[in-house]
Amino acid sequence: MIMQDAGPALLGTAVVVAILIIRTAVREMREPGSARREWSVLRQRRVLAAGAGTALVLSAVGWAYSGPAVVPWAVLAGLLAARICSSGS
């Protein structure tokens, strides 16, 4: 079954997301209010468009090669692309 291939992809992306959350929490403990500032950029339309576009393109291209297992990684790549895009603003 194709959906069984998504299990390791979900686990891998969950680990990366957990690392990002822990990193944010450590920064928040050192500098209160930093987490809100760090993630507030995701409210900007340009940033959301860049992240969604990245996730959509990677999902579409990757689906042809590895099926649904690519979707969690594409969403994570979209999130990271949005954060990178926001660092310039």
Side-chain angles (χ1 to χ4, degrees), residues 4 8 10 14 25 37 43 46 48 56 62-63 66 86 89:
Q4 290 176 342
L10 287 171
R37 284 189 307 273
R43 295 182 190 148
R46 181 180 60 90
L48 286 177
L56 187 62
W63 191 285
S66 59
S86 70
S89 53

Side-chain angles (χ1 to χ4, degrees), residues 15 20 25 29-32 50-51 55 66 86:
V15 168
L20 289 173
M29 288 188 314
R30 291 182 182 161
E31 183 185 341
S66 59
S86 70

Side-chain angles (χ1 to χ4, degrees), residues 7-49:
L10 287 171
L11 180 61
T13 54
V15 168
V16 173
V17 169
I19 290 169
L20 289 173
I21 291 170
I22 291 169
R23 181 177 150 257
T24 300
V26 168
R27 282 187 178 176
E28 179 68 19
M29 288 188 314
R30 291 182 182 161
E31 183 185 341
S34 64
R36 184 179 301 250
R37 284 189 307 273
E38 185 176 349
W39 290 98
S40 69
V41 297
L42 294 179
R43 295 182 190 148
Q44 299 173 6
R45 287 186 180 192
R46 181 180 60 90
V47 172
L48 286 177

Side-chain angles (χ1 to χ4, degrees), residues 46 83-89:
R46 181 180 60 90
R83 299 236 0 233
I84 289 169
C85 181
S86 70
S87 66
S89 53

